[in-house]
Amino acid sequence: MSNQSKTPESQDTRRDFIKATGTVAAAATFAATAAPQVHAAEDNTIQVALVGCGGRGTGAAVNALSVDNGPIKLVAMADVFPKNLERSQKNISNAFKDQEGKVDVPEERQFVDFDAYKKAMDVLRPGDVVILATPPAFRWVHFSYAIEKGLNVFMEKPVTVDGPTTVRIMELNKKAKEKNLKVAVGLMCRHCKARQELFERIQGGEIGEINMLRAYRMAGPTGTAACGPKPEGTSELMYQIANFHGFLWLSGGAVSDFLIHNIDETCWMKNDWPVKVHASGGRHYRGDDVDQNFDSYAMEYTFADGTKMYIGGRTMPGCRSEFASYAHGSKGMAVISTASHTPAKSRIYRGQVADKANLAWEFGQPEPNPYQLEWDDLIAAIREDSEYNEVDRGAMASIVTSMGRMAAHTGQEITLDQMMAHKHEFAPGIDKLTLDSPAPLQAGDDGRYPIPLPGIVKKQEYLS
């Protein structure tokens, strides 16, 4: 089957129901303007530095080097763990072992420390690209230096973990725009061709008026969301960074890191952000785990027009699994994503029963990989000097996800306005951390960390 959408009805009618909003493109990329050329290297080679050499950073670097619209190479790497950097360099080098010069990171351009990000970015020239793939707590710190150096940026999601850092990164982004820097955010579902066509069809009215959305990421233990006690002799700070999914100050916890894609793609189909949320959740089979996460989350978001969006998250073995997003309208329903992030297998049904007999449209398979598409789009924007900045949208997806988490952790209804104005910053002063610094979060005498207590601790997510 070719990689094209298929519709039982005539393709000629497509233009009749697709609203000419151009919103898909506007969500990620804006039309070229008379902005000055950003990347002006004499040899037209785009140099890349990787800051944060875990699995996602390694994958992003491989995608970057796979873009085939001109010369591009990896020249510097940075992490706080030597073993992460060593493993990442080996994996990236193996991926391009037949392409000489793609990976050019000798020992003198491998940096390990809390200020390693600066050293890696110092290797680059203005207009080159830095990948920011550390835990999101450090995103605004590293973004600040990238802006100062005049670098284009790819930053992993989420981009913030709380209200204060969301406001801060949106302020920083104004400077990035002033410098005409291209900035991508790793919400790759927005670059998925199947979802993009589904969005156009939904906005064109194919499922009627949207009256309900829902999404789920229910699986067993994921990432480092559940982590055991700190080993004896290990630095508190480095232990928490190594298990960053388990600590809210580093990652926003399981909700922020795992549910943000489903929340973002579902809000995208609504073409809006919700204004409030209430939620529930709980810790169940914890055993010796000491992280701050709940095992399950159930969130009810409300948009300004009253439309509801239900989000379910669970990291518990032995339970029913589902990893999918849906939109329900007055005329039909849409499957936004089917299982995991790709392939989306987006489709539309007449009515509310997802039965083959009711299938009205589905995107053909195979689908292009959105992880590669987001890099193709970024590098094309750099070479063509097109306006390209995804930070504001990434920040909104991050804060909306965080407000659902906060509603569950406090047991209170949280509005978007309250979340944006909230003063509790999980890790103030994070830009001054060194390898010898105390961790922003401290364990009690029993080795356990403060956890959310809904209905008891109401004004912030935990007492520190």
Side-chain angles (χ1 to χ4, degrees), residues 15 25 42 44 59 83 106 127 131 143 177 182 201 227 232 241 287 321 324 395 415-416 436:
R15 67 171 59 90
E42 294 81 358
N44 203 30
K83 65 179 181 181
I131 299 170
F143 189 36
K177 290 179 179 177
K182 322 305 180 190
R201 289 174 177 273
C227 57
E232 286 289 333
I241 293 175
S321 295
T415 69
L416 181 58
D436 299 323

Side-chain angles (χ1 to χ4, degrees), residues 15 20 52 55 74 90 122 155-156 176 193 220 224 237 243 247 264 269-270 285 289 297 337 353 446 452 454:
R15 67 171 59 90
L74 182 68
K90 180 179 179 181
D122 286 346
M155 62 172 73
E156 253 306 323
K193 299 299 183 186
T224 55
L237 178 59
N243 296 278
F247 299 97
D264 180 57
M269 296 301 149
K270 175 64 176 169
Y285 313 123
D289 291 338
Y297 292 87
S337 59
V353 178
D446 59 356

Side-chain angles (χ1 to χ4, degrees), residues 69-111:
N69 66 352
I72 185 168
K73 65 179 182 179
L74 182 68
V75 298
M77 301 175 71
D79 203 286
V80 294
F81 295 106
K83 65 179 181 181
N84 284 0
L85 195 153
E86 181 180 351
R87 180 171 56 234
S88 179
Q89 191 200 25
K90 180 179 179 181
N91 290 337
I92 297 170
S93 296
N94 285 339
F96 297 96
K97 59 185 177 184
D98 297 327
Q99 300 181 54
E100 187 177 355
K102 277 279 186 180
V103 181
D104 180 19
V105 192
E107 274 192 28
E108 59 267 28
R109 294 204 293 268
Q110 300 174 22
F111 306 104

Side-chain angles (χ1 to χ4, degrees), residues 106-125:
E107 274 192 28
E108 59 267 28
R109 294 204 293 268
Q110 300 174 22
F111 306 104
V112 177
D113 205 333
F114 263 87
D115 64 354
Y117 72 94
K118 289 186 176 179
K119 297 171 182 173
M121 286 192 242
D122 286 346
V123 171
L124 302 179
R125 305 158 300 188

